[in-house]
Amino acid sequence: MPMTASRAWQRRTTSTQLAIWFGWLLGVALFVYCWREISAATTWFFVTDSPRVIADIGSRMVPPAWSYVPTLWQPLWDTLNIATLGTLLALVMAVPVAFMAASNTTPNTYIVRPLALLVIVSSRSINSLIWALLLVAVMGPGVLAGVFAISLRSIGFIAKLLYEAIEEIDTTQVEAIASTGASRTQVMAWGILPQIMPAFAGIAVFRWDINIRESTVLGLVGAGGIGLQLQSSLNILAWPQVTVILLLIIATVLFSEWVSARVRHAII
């Protein structure tokens, strides 16, 4: 039976105990300060009145306007197209970025790799809704702005997970192929790509699932899709239509999650 080392408990020193209490004091002071700032900027009348408003809107949202459903098929199709095309475009752009960012495949660790990491960080730092706002201002409203917004947001996500998968490959296979005199392209094709393909497929499906959810709100800023119908219904206070749109969005997201889970289970 293996022997396990017993943990020796030691009493904290006075300086350590004071440092811990000082940290707690700073945390409480920061919490009180933030709470005072939030309280000063909050109109408490609206907060206390919110239960009555929620009950009123909830009563107006039922029954759902099922006759509005045929109007939503085309915007829903646009939403699926935004998510799918945006994901495909992001995959095309993310793959070379991932190879340039991975420490074992980058052509230059001092210039190319930092630039690739900068692309990844920049893409991940900006939400797809902000990308859509910028692209609608540049390209005008429509589905195309939504496609590019989704793709620009997805590049960082895909490239980050992919370059981490590249860095974790089994190097013995790569060295074995390189020892045969294979070129750099052949090493990549036969030594690296087969190892990362399952991860790449899983990342692509997972990102498509996320993009389905993100593309449902892009219409709020004019980037097309079912979000545009949601904004129109909210503007005219057509709550039964809002109910139908929300139910359709939930059904679409559940369907995409089911598809994503099934595909990933089949691949990985």
Side-chain angles (χ1 to χ4, degrees):
M1 183 176 179
M3 298 293 292
T4 57
S6 59
R7 185 174 182 181
W9 295 94
Q10 293 182 346
R11 188 180 180 83
R12 296 192 180 103
T13 62
T14 304
S15 59
T16 303
Q17 192 65 40
L18 286 175
I20 293 173
W21 282 110
F22 184 69
W24 276 103
L25 181 63
L26 279 180
V28 172
L30 182 63
F31 176 81
V32 173
Y33 172 76
C34 293
W35 179 255
R36 289 185 60 185
E37 291 293 318
I38 293 172
S39 299
T42 302
T43 306
W44 287 103
F45 168 75
F46 290 104
V47 177
T48 55
D49 194 45
S50 58
R52 186 191 62 80
V53 175
I54 292 173
D56 181 57
I57 292 177
S59 64
R60 295 169 187 267
M61 293 180 75
V62 291
W66 298 114
S67 59
Y68 190 58
V69 172
T71 312
L72 300 176
W73 292 131
Q74 182 59 46
L76 182 62
W77 178 247
D78 290 341
T79 300
L80 295 175
N81 282 331
I82 290 172
T84 306
L85 294 177
T87 305
L88 291 174
L89 193 58
L91 289 172
V92 173
M93 292 187 285
V95 170
V97 175
F99 276 98
M100 288 189 286
S103 58
N104 53 342
T105 57
T106 183
N108 186 295
T109 56
Y110 299 103
I111 298 176
V112 177
R113 187 166 190 264
L115 287 176
L117 293 175
L118 178 63
V119 171
I120 293 172
V121 171
S122 302
S123 170
R124 287 166 51 82
S125 302
I126 301 176
N127 190 274
S128 58
L129 208 57
I130 300 175
W131 279 119
L133 273 171
L134 296 172
L135 291 167
V136 166
V138 174
M139 306 170 65
V143 174
L144 188 60
V147 172
F148 279 105
I150 288 294
S151 63
L152 290 175
R153 169 65 173 169
S154 304
I155 289 173
F157 180 93
I158 297 171
K160 177 178 172 53
L161 295 182
L162 189 58
Y163 94 72
E164 290 176 350
I166 295 171
E167 290 181 341
E168 293 174 357
I169 61 173
D170 184 4
T171 55
T172 55
Q173 297 183 29
V174 178
E175 291 170 358
I177 296 174
S179 65
T180 63
S183 65
R184 188 179 179 87
T185 304
Q186 290 172 322
V187 170
M188 186 171 293
W190 299 102
I192 299 177
L193 288 181
Q195 295 191 61
I196 65 169
M197 283 309 291
F200 177 71
I203 294 168
V205 176
F206 184 44
R207 188 62 215 184
W208 174 78
D209 180 23
I210 296 173
N211 286 341
I212 289 286
R213 278 170 277 173
E214 292 196 355
S215 59
T216 58
V217 298
L218 295 185
L220 296 174
V221 295
I226 201 168
L228 196 59
Q229 300 295 321
L230 179 61
Q231 185 189 35
S232 302
S233 298
L234 287 172
N235 288 339
I236 60 174
L237 303 179
W239 299 112
Q241 294 182 15
V242 172
T243 305
V244 172
I245 295 171
L246 293 179
L247 290 174
L248 198 58
I249 290 174
I250 292 172
T252 306
V253 170
L254 289 176
F255 176 73
S256 69
E257 287 194 359
W258 179 79
V259 172
S260 173
R262 297 284 294 180
V263 172
R264 277 184 289 166
H265 179 72
I267 294 174
I268 302 174

